[in-house]
Amino acid sequence: MAAQAQTIEVPTDAELLQAQADLWRHSLCYLTSMGLRCAVELEIPTTIHHLGGVASLPNLMSALSLPSVKMPFLGRLMRVLVTSGVFAADDSGSESGEELYRLTPLSRVLLHGVVADEHHSQKYLVLAVTSPHYTEASLGLADWFKKDTVPPVTSPFEDRYGVPLLDEKAALLDKELDDVVNKGLAAHDNLGIATILRECGDIFNGVESLTDCGGGDGTTARALVKAYPHLKCTVLDLPKVIEKAPPHDVINYVAGDLFHTVPSSQAVMLKLVLHFWSDEDCVKILAQCLKAIPSRQEGGKVIIIEIVVEPSLGPIMFEAQLLMDMLMMVNTRGGQRDEKHWRQLFMQAGFTDYKIVKKLGARSVIEVYA
Ligand SMILES: C[S@@+](CC[C@H](N)C(=O)[O-])C[C@H]1O[C@@H](n2cnc3c(N)ncnc32)[C@H](O)[C@@H]1O
């Protein structure tokens, strides 16, 4: 059939030029991600740290042992990474007037092999989310949208590889990826517990016992009992996780399944667990947590630490939340939820009330009551 001529609204020249630049930015921003991955693979943040926190391009070239022919190219990579805030650059302190690269808070969280209080290198998070497996899953989005299925809707990752991300069988898919994903996840989850304790530690005041549900290797529980020595802390996780958890004289480790039973305690914590699960599964998990706690009058509560999607946090935090939601959509059956969505899940699970206690960056601390 012959194409019919259609009229479209013609942009002004200024709009057209802006649209072209925006198109380049949006369609090429994967190169920022890959540039970040490259910086992590080359260990550029750690190298700048070892050079005293500041490095010229020749210093970097030599410390990284890169062939000199690549120097102008490294300069171009650094220019993009400076523009996106991964590094800072200035020429103050340089006698020759050459640019000096410095670490920013973002590149500091990428330092690897550096032991410091509260430091959890995010190197593996970057390597996981920019890995070929993750990026290939996202390339399948359009086909995934067209495919009609009966719920539960599997993710593009699951459709592409036949196993859900984080499933035990995912280890068989690619041992190296599984290792990177697990290390990335641990680093991601452990970053910030100290901030939570400083910013809203009072949510644990008066709590006598707490179950950290899906509490992993107990890193959060150890920080909690250190800060609140009176707290009787239980960590519930899958047997394969509990088997590897470092033994602790105060923490009670329970190998189990949060869909079946949650050990009773005054408070139950779900930190960065629910966003992996579908709404139906979240309601099942929350219903188990509800059974485990006493009434609000007796101090019973479920403490949830998760993203609450909210544009009022500003464009950068909001975009970060939406990208984390897309990450969940591509790779899991879960997602990031706004307050209305959270409220629906709490009520469906049988809770009567909730309170967003504190917003911490892109995440929130929520208390939910029986
Ligand atoms: C993203 S991690 C969160 C870890 C921890 N809450 C933190 O913030 O550091 C999710 C945890 O849930 C655990 N998990 C997944 N399915 C589970 C199940 N059915 N029962 C108990 N734990 C489970 C995983 O093993 C993992 O440790």
Side-chain angles (χ1 to χ4, degrees):
M1 194 166 59
Q4 280 188 336
Q6 290 180 340
T7 55
I8 59 168
E9 203 179 313
V10 179
T12 65
D13 285 335
E15 285 171 340
L16 192 67
L17 295 171
Q18 184 62 50
Q20 191 175 44
D22 287 340
L23 187 67
W24 292 350
R25 282 175 47 242
H26 292 309
S27 52
L28 297 176
C29 68
Y30 72 95
L31 290 171
T32 310
S33 306
M34 291 307 153
L36 177 64
R37 180 181 174 91
C38 169
V40 166
E41 286 180 326
L42 292 176
E43 298 278 16
I44 295 178
T46 311
T47 305
I48 297 180
H49 174 72
H50 289 321
L51 290 169
V54 57
S56 66
L57 195 55
N59 291 157
L60 257 186
M61 287 296 296
S62 124
L64 295 169
S65 306
L66 297 179
S68 58
V69 68
K70 295 288 167 59
M71 185 143 92
F73 302 95
L74 185 66
R76 286 158 66 185
L77 172 72
M78 292 303 284
R79 187 168 59 181
V80 167
L81 295 175
V82 166
T83 307
S84 53
V86 179
F87 299 107
D90 58 65
D91 57 11
S92 64
S94 155
E95 284 170 15
S96 56
E98 68 192 347
E99 205 145 48
L100 294 176
Y101 300 109
R102 296 175 198 278
L103 298 174
T104 61
L106 200 167
S107 33
R108 267 184 216 110
V109 298
L110 297 171
L111 296 182
H112 193 64
V114 174
V115 180
D117 277 354
E118 299 179 21
H119 180 65
H120 299 278
S121 172
Q122 302 299 301
K123 168 182 173 170
Y124 288 104
L125 176 78
V126 174
L127 295 181
V129 299
T130 58
S131 67
H133 281 84
Y134 276 52
T135 44
E136 266 186 43
S138 64
L139 287 171
L141 259 174
D143 286 338
W144 175 79
F145 267 107
K146 285 185 238 162
K147 199 174 104 182
D148 195 9
T149 47
V150 285
V153 178
T154 51
S155 68
F157 184 98
E158 204 173 335
D159 284 0
R160 170 83 178 74
Y161 300 109
V163 282
L165 181 73
L166 304 181
D167 188 278
E168 274 175 66
K169 287 185 229 112
L172 304 174
L173 186 72
D174 185 321
K175 180 78 198 72
E176 201 180 320
L177 173 81
D178 188 59
D179 190 43
V180 167
V181 169
N182 285 326
K183 283 180 179 159
L185 202 61
H188 171 260
D189 294 345
N190 291 330
L191 187 78
I193 177 62
T195 310
I196 292 168
L197 289 174
R198 274 192 293 272
E199 293 286 323
C200 57
D202 49 354
I203 59 171
F204 302 104
N205 284 341
V207 175
E208 282 164 19
S209 60
L210 177 140
T211 299
D212 188 7
C213 211
D217 70 355
T219 304
T220 298
R222 285 193 295 281
L224 278 175
V225 294
K226 195 169 164 205
Y228 297 90
H230 68 277
L231 192 63
K232 254 182 73 196
C233 203
T234 299
V235 172
L236 169 73
D237 211 295
L238 296 170
K240 62 166 188 160
V241 177
I242 295 297
E243 271 163 27
K244 292 192 200 139
H248 193 279
D249 46 2
V250 180
I251 295 166
N252 173 31
Y253 286 98
V254 174
D257 184 342
L258 47 75
F259 284 94
H260 292 145
T261 180
V262 171
S264 295
S265 51
Q266 194 181 5
V268 166
M269 184 158 77
L270 286 164
K271 174 170 162 281
L272 307 177
V273 171
L274 295 176
H275 62 266
F276 283 102
W277 300 101
S278 66
D279 286 356
E280 296 71 27
D281 284 340
C282 283
V283 171
K284 287 183 197 157
I285 295 169
L286 286 165
Q288 291 302 333
C289 295
L290 178 62
K291 281 197 236 162
I293 57 164
S295 70
R296 186 174 186 173
Q297 292 69 33
E298 293 164 283
K301 59 185 171 184
V302 176
I303 299 166
I304 295 178
I305 298 165
E306 284 283 358
I307 284 176
V308 177
V309 174
E310 198 183 322
S312 67
L313 292 174
I316 305 257
M317 287 290 175
F318 185 48
E319 188 184 17
Q321 293 184 326
L322 298 186
L323 290 174
M324 287 302 277
D325 181 51
M326 284 289 284
L327 182 73
M328 290 303 121
M329 186 167 98
V330 171
N331 296 299
T332 74
R333 297 184 189 184
Q336 311 296 351
R337 294 152 173 119
D338 61 16
E339 186 175 346
K340 188 172 159 214
H341 200 153
W342 279 118
R343 187 187 309 122
Q344 278 168 358
L345 297 183
F346 301 151
M347 298 307 138
Q348 274 176 38
F351 289 91
T352 57
D353 201 6
Y354 71 97
K355 181 166 83 179
I356 297 180
V357 180
K358 184 99 184 169
K359 291 174 188 168
L360 291 172
R363 296 205 185 109
S364 289
V365 179
I366 314 170
E367 283 187 354
V368 196
Y369 312 107

